[in-house]
Amino acid sequence: MKNKFIATIADALRQCGLADGMTLSFHHHLRNGDHVVNMTMDAVASLGIKNITVACSSLFPVHEHLVQYIKSGVITGIDTDYMSGPLARAVSEGLLPTPVMFRSHGGRPRAIGEGSLKIDIAVIAAPAVDALGNINGSEGPSACGSLGYAMPDAKHARHVVAVTDHLVRGGLGRVSIPHDQVDHVVVVDKIGDPAGIVSGSISLTRDPVALAIARSAQAVIRASGLLKDGFNYQTGAGGASLAASIFLQEDMRAMKLHGGFLLGGITKYMVEMLEEGLFDNIYDVQCFDLSSVQSIARNPRHVEISADTYANPASKSACVDYLDAALLGATEVDLNFNVNVTTDSNGNIIGGSGGHNDAAAGAKLTIIVAPLVRARLPIVVDKCTTLTTKGETVDVLVTERGIAVNPARKELADRLRDARLPVCDIAELHEAAVKMTGKPLAFEHGEKVVGMVEYRDGTIVDRIYATK
């Protein structure tokens, strides 16, 4: 009988035939509380292996640990959907010898499935594993909820190693990744800190500007004509987006509406809407807080989905294509409604698409919410520093100073004007922003390409250059 249980991560990697030049993949459901990426790369380094590509669905400040392995040549490539913190700064400064490939949350499973992102070994941070090697994310001391971003990796990788701190001697009642996709299991003391799942601002805002933006965004949804029974919705986890969800609840109660599904990074506010009966289901590819982790474990209407089901444009169907409205943020929006959420205005890497351009492409109504000015810089610019989401998929920009509608959506603009909303031209917003901040100086970048921005369909839409 084959024994899947291996004493150490290094031993498991040896069993998988780890060699120079391979690609190792990871998921990011533990977000800034993840320990497994760092532990695994320690093991890789201890084996004397070099030239590894780290394909992680997202990377956070906790992964600063990897900088030393870029310097030593253990890591020479990165493939990810999002990157922030010291590792992102090091990449922006040109430390990595090859450009990072930035994908979207839908583009990544597309690339894995078609073989353009080949994974030699998928290392899965597994909150619970049973005797057969089945995995779920909703049990154990490091429970993170959905494992949606790990599912394509487990399905297509040549080898799969589960790293867990919670071994269930019997069988799991709920299975996220089945045992027949798992080659080896390693038990460690701790795979991560679930408190790190809540990274960034995932709380309701009291900022009057953000609240004004949120009210206007919900007014746009109401005036669009899409808010009716069966309404499907995705929002982000920023303060204005969460506040807009509260205003959505108020409208749905007043109008006695019953929604279809909620989508995206799931928070307690979405859980509350589900439990109140305002929506039929949550389709969950990633939990953003511990309330949603608890919900997915107990509520059968809180449904775990894979990244393929969430947003893969090559899938037979994807949830983003059934969205009525998506509420998304922005670092920059340009005069053609293109959006940047990958770099700041000086070209420093601060994020990535995640599901941004997937949701924008799929939703009937894509609303970007952003203040006119942030950190003394205009949000509405002549041209985005980095292209993340194409303007042709963006319908509305909502700011505290007015609402700009994509010229291609004339009927929508008429609806908003009929509702007496403050519709204006995006050039007016740009002019107002520049009056407040002055015209920003154009930043100078280096010659080295440090990142390639891939759109969800596989085309390269931009390049990121090293900062000076």
Side-chain angles (χ1 to χ4, degrees), residues 136-150:
N136 77 29
S138 54
E139 298 177 38
S142 302
C144 60
S146 176
L147 290 177
Y149 292 121

Side-chain angles (χ1 to χ4, degrees), residues 371-418:
L372 201 58
V373 173
R374 186 186 289 126
R376 299 188 297 279
L377 289 170
I379 297 302
V380 184
V381 296
D382 288 314
K383 183 181 179 183
C384 284
T385 304
T386 304
L387 174 61
T388 307
T389 296
K390 295 180 180 179
E392 66 198 49
T393 66
V394 174
D395 301 302
V396 181
L397 167 64
V398 177
T399 75
E400 75 278 18
R401 294 294 187 95
I403 298 168
V405 181
N406 191 317
R409 298 297 310 274
K410 184 179 182 304
E411 181 185 345
L412 176 62
D414 291 341
R415 280 180 172 271
L416 301 191
R417 289 191 184 96
D418 289 344

